[in-house]
Amino acid sequence: MTASAAECRTQINNAVAIFHAIYTAIESGTSLVGLVDSYVQALETATPGIAAQFPSSMRSNLAALISPSVVAAAFAPHLEDYAAVLAVPYEGPEAFIGRLYRYMYDNSEDVNGRGISFGTPAAASANVGTGTMYRVTTDAYGFPIESGILATEAFEAYCDVDQLGTSRHEESFTLRGGPASPDGLERKGSGLVTTIRSLSCRDSLLQNAGFADGTSGSDITSWTVASGSVANTALDTTNVYRGAEGITATSLRLNTSTISLQQKIHTIGIDFDPSVPYMYRIAWNRSVGTGAGTLAIALGSKSNSVVASAQSGWQLLLVVATPGQNNWSRNFYEDDLDITITWTYTSGYVLIADAILAPFQRLGNGSFAQVIGGATPFAVGDKFTWTDTIASDSKVQFWLQRGFPGLYLPSQSDASETWTDPS
């Protein structure tokens, strides 16, 4: 007899309750792990090699009880039953969890969230470089990305290759998380170690992103003047933001007239990957030309603007202002999508530079990050740090991502979830 959806969830909850009970005994209170470690530390024997085999074997056997493969095997038959309830093809548990996520989203269903508070990368006060590191920790449907992190964890991105070892403004950082448990018995760090590189205009998916190609007042290579006149623009190689390897540092002056520039993705050949978020940003300066007006940029249906009035020096304008759900192509989609820069003139002129459109980098712990340098390049020793915290974890979501790393379901953290955790 085919199980109902409620019965499938109950069976999964029953498995979760077993794993949770084992894990609680292993790590909480007078924990089994603590007892095993105490045994090892107190060893006094003429045969230490033989005696040490016991705690090693004990840890190995405990780890096997809650290993990802065992958790996945426990979930799999109930996920297959769930696929039958939803009348969708079953192509393995991972593929079905993806289908289940979309089904739950479409039907306003969710599990109890894991209560993760995601940290924001903070630049060290001693940094030489003036760039910024951004994260996206929310998926395209507005839910927190609740895979990969096991416990409260501190992260550090350390610049270990600067312009003496690579291209200027494309410095490399090594990102490290907290140390992982050797066998998964303790809730520790992810053990994440990966490399993330600062982006320059050479990395932009846009053409002529540094505005170095063209002729003042008559042509801005690869950019279409959608409204206004190209005659009211000029290339400026004196008042500049920054350049890049092989690209002359140049800014584009938007003079005494309203003007809109654009690039269409189908003209320049951009294919957006729906599985990663994107950032679009430009640098701008109104103080050189005492510009007054409104500067706006748009990535498809999402836009951001700033009123130029009293700002000094070079500023950044991002789409979106706060990285998150709207950085995913699902949410900035529009027919015949274009990327635009619009200057609505009041007086004076504004300079723009460094139009970078680029994907975020997927990190091994499930979140996404991007480092974009500023006018001053990063140097070895520059760093960003942040901490992700979990005050009180959930059960279904925790064990789902343990059995199927990288996967998770829509969640809520206000006790209103439709799929409740087992008690």
Side-chain angles (χ1 to χ4, degrees), residues 207-209 211-215 219-224 235 263:
Q207 296 180 3
N208 193 22
F211 301 103
D213 299 329
T215 304
D219 175 61
I220 312 166
T221 302
S222 300
W223 291 89
T224 299
L235 302 182
Q263 291 191 27

Side-chain angles (χ1 to χ4, degrees), residues 184-264:
L185 288 182
E186 301 98 341
R187 298 189 199 220
K188 288 188 174 182
S190 61
L192 174 67
V193 179
T194 191
T195 299
I196 185 168
R197 184 173 63 77
S198 179
L199 304 181
S200 76
C201 63
R202 294 203 310 172
D203 298 294
S204 181
L205 298 176
L206 300 174
Q207 296 180 3
N208 193 22
F211 301 103
D213 299 329
T215 304
S216 286
S218 63
D219 175 61
I220 312 166
T221 302
S222 300
W223 291 89
T224 299
V225 179
S227 65
S229 172
V230 70
N232 287 315
T233 69
L235 302 182
D236 189 334
T237 55
T238 301
N239 302 294
V240 298
Y241 178 61
R242 63 176 190 170
E245 192 82 17
I247 299 176
T248 302
T250 306
S251 61
L252 180 66
R253 183 190 301 175
L254 304 180
N255 287 322
T256 56
S257 178
T258 294
I259 188 171
S260 182
L261 309 176
Q262 72 173 194
Q263 291 191 27
K264 287 184 174 288

Side-chain angles (χ1 to χ4, degrees), residues 349-393:
Y349 66 83
V350 69
L351 299 171
I352 60 172
D354 225 38
I356 297 179
L357 169 62
F360 281 74
Q361 180 177 325
R362 188 191 306 271
L363 304 180
N365 68 341
S367 65
F368 297 82
Q370 189 180 95
V371 178
I372 298 183
T376 303
F378 291 111
V380 167
D382 287 357
K383 64 182 179 180
F384 296 91
T385 57
W386 70 91
T387 299
D388 292 340
T389 59
I390 304 180
S392 179
D393 215 329

